[in-house]
């Protein structure tokens, strides 16, 4: 279980002029992680894409609309991993899949396990994916507002309790 108030998931979509940050406040995660038994570790995270929020109603309508995440037809997204690798003392990579708009593609993310001064653990990381593989931002968007091909999902997971 996770502390939803302290945890965060956010997508960053870049243009030459700006970065649009879309918070994903509604999610459920099942994470089994043991840094000493990585072969037994798994993640399964479901996102309610209808709750996506940039803080700007125009961008919210655009990103939840049919040219982007198409939440009317695909209200949930999923990220999961079942293969973990240690890449540093408290740094790890996961390999799995991400599903957006009903399209599933392989994914890789990197994360670090950190301990706060009070000993509370948190997991901080980033996943990058190619928006064109999911049909995000096609058509006229590229003529008037050239978006970077890569979208980043940044996350911070804080376990509930101590």
């Amino acid at each position: 279980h996770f502390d939803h108030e302290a945890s965060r998931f956010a997508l960053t979509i870049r243009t030459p002029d700006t970065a649009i940050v879309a918070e994903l406040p509604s999610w459920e995660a099942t994470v089994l992680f043991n840094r000493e038994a990585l072969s037994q570790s798994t993640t399964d995270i479901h996102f309610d894409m209808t709750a996506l929020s940039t803080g700007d109603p125009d961008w919210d309508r655009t990103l939840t609309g049919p040219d982007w995440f198409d939440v009317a037809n695909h209200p949930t997204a999923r990220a999961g991993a079942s293969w973990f690798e240690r890449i540093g003392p408290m740094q790890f990579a996961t390999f799995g899949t991400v599903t957006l708009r009903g399209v599933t593609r392989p994914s890789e993310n990197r994360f670090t396990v950190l301990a706060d001064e009070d000993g509370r653990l948190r997991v901080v990381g980033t996943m990058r994916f190619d928006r064109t593989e999911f049909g995000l931002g096609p058509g006229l968007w590229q003529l008037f507002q050239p978006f970077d091909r890569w979208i980043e999902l940044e996350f911070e997971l804080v376990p509930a309790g101590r």
Side-chain angles (χ1 to χ4, degrees), residues 35 90 113-116 118-123 157-159:
R35 64 181 182 237
M90 294 299 280
V113 177
L114 302 170
D116 293 339
D118 63 358
R120 190 173 188 191
L121 295 178
R122 59 192 171 102
V123 176
L157 279 171
V158 179

Side-chain angles (χ1 to χ4, degrees), residues 147-158:
F147 289 93
D148 190 79
R149 168 181 195 158
W150 297 98
I151 293 177
E152 293 178 348
L153 173 64
E154 296 174 319
F155 59 91
E156 180 171 354
L157 279 171
V158 179

Side-chain angles (χ1 to χ4, degrees), residues 12-158:
T12 301
I13 302 164
R14 298 184 193 290
T15 72
D17 302 326
T18 191
I20 300 141
V21 177
E23 299 288 335
L24 299 171
S26 183
W27 51 271
E28 291 299 323
T30 302
V31 177
L32 302 172
F33 176 70
N34 181 335
R35 64 181 182 237
E36 303 307 323
L38 293 176
S39 65
Q40 297 170 22
S41 298
T42 63
T43 63
D44 189 24
I45 306 167
H46 295 259
F47 302 95
D48 175 359
M49 297 302 287
T50 66
L52 176 148
S53 176
T54 63
D56 178 326
D58 290 334
W59 274 119
D60 292 351
R61 273 190 298 280
T62 298
L63 293 178
T64 58
D67 284 340
W68 282 88
F69 293 101
D70 191 15
V71 302
N73 293 307
H74 305 285
T76 60
R78 179 182 172 273
S82 58
W83 195 77
F84 288 67
E85 177 181 302
R86 182 183 302 269
I87 57 175
M90 294 299 280
Q91 297 168 322
F92 302 87
T94 67
F95 302 89
T97 59
V98 63
T99 302
L100 295 166
R101 293 176 52 113
V103 177
T104 301
R105 295 286 184 260
S107 69
E108 174 183 345
N109 82 57
R110 295 177 183 269
F111 67 91
T112 302
V113 177
L114 302 170
D116 293 339
E117 291 177 7
D118 63 358
R120 190 173 188 191
L121 295 178
R122 59 192 171 102
V123 176
V124 178
T126 304
M127 174 193 302
R128 287 182 68 201
F129 57 89
D130 181 343
R131 68 178 176 77
T132 64
E133 290 184 1
F134 298 93
L136 299 171
L140 293 177
W141 283 105
Q142 284 303 104
L143 296 175
F144 301 107
Q145 183 84 24
F147 289 93
D148 190 79
R149 168 181 195 158
W150 297 98
I151 293 177
E152 293 178 348
L153 173 64
E154 296 174 319
F155 59 91
E156 180 171 354
L157 279 171
V158 179

